[in-house]
Amino acid sequence: MPLVVLGCFLNQSCICQSNTQVIKEFKKPNIIFFMVDDMGWMDSEVYGSKYYNTPNITRLAKMGKRFTRAYAANALCSPTRASILSGKHPGRFSLTTPAGHLPPNPNDDLSPEKGESWMKMACPGSRTFMPLEEFTIAEALKTNGYKTGHIGKWHLGHEAYWPEKQGFDVNIGGGHHPGPPNFFSPFSISTLPNHKDKEYITDRITDEALMFLENNKDTPFFLNFWQFAVHAPYQAPLNLINKYKQKNDPRGKQNNPIMGGMIEKMDESLGRMLDKLEELNLIDNTIIVFFSDNGGNMYDVVNGDFPTNNYPLRFGKGNIHEGGIRVPCIISWKGEIQPNTVSDELIQSMDFYPTFLEVTKTKANPNQLLDGISLIETLKNDKPLKREAIYSHFPHYFPVTHNVPSTAVWYKNYKLIKEYGEGRNRSDAFKLYDLKKDIGETTDISLQYPELVAKLSKMVENHVIEIGGLLPVKNPDYNPDAESKMGKTYDFPIDKYPSY
């Protein structure tokens, strides 16, 4: 190589050419993680909604790649949020319920002992925070010169576990709240001081996010822009509620005007962020991830109706079936990801951590075990991911969501759910679905494929052992009569469920 080219290569301060080879200086990309709370897989136009107006989600999808088989680590928020920040299955540190608003319990024994009389199984407890020992993706990126900010919902513990203790330079809005006390100010959130009376929280945190972009336009940054929308309490501007009262879903599924208004304000927030990135000439070097922490809520009742409807997926938030855990995901990176593309690769929330390490050339911390895998090859080159399966460990009853203690595995087109204690004599039961043919999980085919059930059940068993996941045990206080009086609310017949 000629000396002039070698010298230029060593200082990496310019573009050099020798014959046809071009060597470019590496410029660290910015990263924005735009996460919506409780947004269902079908809650946008680009995923199939005929009710919600989401032009900016469509705009982002045209800029990047939309995933059809993206999954949260858990069907509820705190565990999924922890999985994104840690790159781990949340069962590794026993954060398996949305308990981030409860007092810290670092010394509690979470082993199951007994449960309510209607429960066949006694379920383990859950941690109420993400451990400080986890080396978060924010902490990792800070070692590589990134400015880090968290704006919006946190829900991963009380003050000792807030964003500034987990690698974030800026924390605006992040606290222990599962949802905002109010969507209109006063917000009653200590990290989000009130500015204007009756200000809408989605607008306010967007203002803060745009200010973060302005203040950090000259340095690489990582921004957690985690929306409070569209979690309860269900509140939207009156003009948007009236707009959606005039709309009808031709599918007859989604028809809640308050949720319509909340989703439209969230979409507007996304659009404002994209506009600011273009104004600051940052869009060309910014990776944008759009994601939801779990499926849409189908158990609260708002003005006589559910907030949303996840059809054709079964059930919703808080349930291990597809409606509770399959989520929207769009990733944009101009010049690196082919625009307006769709992928059906199987991805999960733990995958973002190793992906961000690779795209930023940040060294991994050898003490931080990662369960996810980098998505870079499928993002840039459409190559299939080298993974056998993904898992979700959710060992809890949630009667209001019809969930029983379960662990699920997704393998090729199949999904196996192991339900603890739901078989005869409180033995474990298995449900197998071919999601390619039956995305609504209407037909259990486990009896048709006993060898596949045996294979996948062994994979589930090995996974739970490998992560050290806590398991339910037979409940010594179980009373079948008490279960009967509960009306078997957790075994809701599919033909009665409002999705169908």
Side-chain angles (χ1 to χ4, degrees):
M1 180 182 291
L3 284 177
V4 64
V5 176
L6 177 60
C8 191
F9 174 73
L10 289 175
N11 65 38
Q12 295 184 339
S13 60
C14 61
I15 298 177
C16 310
Q17 186 166 343
S18 175
N19 297 325
T20 58
Q21 182 181 11
V22 177
I23 302 170
K24 293 184 179 180
E25 179 185 12
F26 173 70
K27 186 177 181 181
K28 298 173 185 175
N30 307 309
I31 300 173
I32 299 176
F33 200 113
F34 188 102
M35 185 154 67
V36 190
D37 193 2
D38 291 359
M39 183 177 184
W41 188 65
M42 289 291 293
D43 286 351
S44 64
E45 292 169 300
V46 75
Y47 276 92
S49 176
K50 304 297 183 184
Y51 183 67
Y52 304 123
N53 289 344
T54 55
N56 292 295
I57 297 175
T58 300
R59 172 183 173 188
L60 183 66
K62 290 179 179 178
M63 293 167 56
K65 179 164 288 187
R66 176 171 61 90
F67 287 83
T68 63
R69 294 201 300 163
Y71 289 88
N74 188 284
L76 291 164
C77 57
S78 297
T80 297
R81 292 163 185 268
S83 75
I84 292 166
L85 293 171
S86 69
K88 289 183 178 180
H89 284 285
R92 287 192 183 275
F93 39 83
S94 299
L95 178 53
T96 48
T97 69
H101 56 288
L102 299 175
N105 60 350
N107 301 316
D108 286 4
D109 182 359
L110 304 178
S111 303
E113 294 181 357
K114 60 182 180 178
E116 298 292 332
S117 59
W118 60 267
M119 298 177 174
K120 290 183 179 179
M121 306 296 284
C123 297
S126 175
R127 287 281 170 243
T128 59
F129 56 89
M130 184 176 68
L132 297 178
E133 293 77 19
E134 296 303 319
F135 191 75
T136 68
I137 185 59
E139 290 172 305
L141 292 173
K142 278 176 67 70
T143 68
N144 196 15
Y146 275 72
K147 181 77 171 183
T148 57
H150 176 90
I151 297 175
K153 174 175 168 173
W154 181 249
H155 198 204
L156 288 171
H158 280 248
E159 189 168 357
Y161 303 94
W162 282 2
E164 53 267 46
K165 307 294 174 50
Q166 302 277 19
F168 289 94
D169 300 314
V170 173
N171 172 27
I172 300 173
H176 63 278
H177 306 282
N182 297 290
F183 266 81
F184 293 94
S185 63
F187 304 124
S188 301
I189 298 173
S190 64
T191 55
L192 189 66
N194 298 310
H195 282 178
K196 297 182 292 185
D197 188 43
K198 302 303 180 185
E199 185 177 27
Y200 196 63
I201 200 168
T202 306
D203 295 333
R204 170 60 186 284
I205 64 170
T206 306
D207 292 342
E208 299 288 354
L210 302 191
M211 189 177 302
F212 179 90
L213 298 182
E214 286 270 11
N215 293 340
N216 297 284
K217 61 181 181 292
D218 298 321
T219 186
F221 60 78
F222 170 63
L223 173 60
N224 252 5
F225 189 10
W226 286 7
Q227 297 280 336
F228 289 104
V230 290
H231 194 283
Y234 299 102
Q235 299 169 344
L238 186 59
N239 66 313
L240 289 178
I241 294 175
N242 289 333
K243 170 185 173 178
Y244 281 89
K245 282 182 178 179
Q246 307 306 313
K247 293 194 68 176
N248 289 297
D249 181 357
R251 302 181 311 143
K253 302 298 180 183
Q254 296 170 329
N255 54 13
N256 192 302
I258 298 177
M259 180 57 68
M262 295 178 78
I263 285 180
E264 183 160 329
K265 289 299 288 184
M266 175 275 298
D267 182 83
E268 178 186 297
S269 171
L270 175 64
R272 290 179 62 199
M273 184 195 76
L274 294 176
D275 290 344
K276 177 59 72 170
L277 289 171
E278 291 177 349
E279 175 192 322
L280 298 175
N281 295 316
L282 296 174
I283 196 78
D284 288 354
N285 195 45
T286 300
I287 300 167
I288 304 166
V289 174
F290 180 95
F291 198 71
S292 176
D293 59 353
N294 49 247
N297 185 313
M298 290 195 65
Y299 61 85
D300 283 335
V301 176
V302 185
N303 291 348
D305 200 359
F306 293 104
T308 193
N309 192 308
N310 299 305
Y311 180 86
L313 305 186
R314 187 177 182 185
F315 294 115
K317 171 185 176 179
N319 189 289
I320 206 164
H321 284 278
E322 293 293 284
I325 200 163
R326 187 187 288 219
V327 294
C329 177
I330 301 168
I331 305 177
S332 170
W333 187 11
K334 193 171 181 180
E336 300 291 343
I337 297 175
Q338 186 72 21
N340 202 25
T341 52
V342 179
S343 173
D344 64 355
E345 285 295 305
L346 198 59
I347 70 170
Q348 199 167 19
S349 49
M350 288 79 78
D351 295 334
F352 296 116
Y353 193 127
T355 303
F356 295 161
L357 291 182
E358 183 169 357
V359 298
T360 61
K361 298 187 179 179
T362 299
K363 291 183 179 179
N365 184 327
N367 297 320
Q368 183 71 12
L369 181 152
L370 296 178
D371 288 312
I373 63 173
S374 174
L375 304 176
I376 193 65
E377 284 301 312
T378 197
L379 287 172
K380 297 176 70 171
N381 303 315
D382 289 321
K383 291 185 178 179
L385 297 174
K386 297 178 181 178
R387 77 175 350 142
E388 183 179 35
I390 64 170
Y391 302 86
S392 179
H393 182 53
F394 192 29
H396 305 284
Y397 288 104
F398 275 83
V400 71
T401 71
H402 323 298
N403 193 74
V404 299
S406 313
T407 305
V409 56
W410 288 257
Y411 170 80
K412 297 182 179 179
N413 297 324
Y414 296 97
K415 175 182 178 182
L416 180 84
I417 302 175
K418 180 177 183 178
E419 297 182 336
Y420 299 103
E422 287 302 301
R424 182 177 296 179
N425 298 322
R426 289 191 279 173
S427 63
D428 297 334
F430 299 93
K431 293 180 179 177
L432 179 69
Y433 303 98
D434 183 343
L435 296 178
K436 189 172 184 179
K437 298 177 180 178
D438 180 23
I439 195 173
E441 298 169 291
T442 61
T443 305
D444 174 12
I445 57 174
S446 58
L447 295 180
Q448 301 174 40
Y449 298 95
E451 292 183 357
L452 182 58
V453 169
K455 172 187 173 71
L456 297 183
S457 63
K458 186 63 177 177
M459 289 170 61
V460 165
E461 179 183 346
N462 291 341
H463 168 73
V464 174
I465 292 172
E466 198 274 324
I467 67 169
L470 297 177
L471 287 170
V473 298
K474 290 184 177 181
N475 180 13
D477 291 347
Y478 171 61
N479 182 344
D481 292 336
E483 182 187 26
S484 176
K485 290 177 182 177
M486 282 290 293
K488 298 197 72 176
T489 57
Y490 57 85
D491 189 20
F492 208 81
I494 194 168
D495 60 345
K496 303 277 188 180
Y497 195 64
S499 280
Y500 290 86

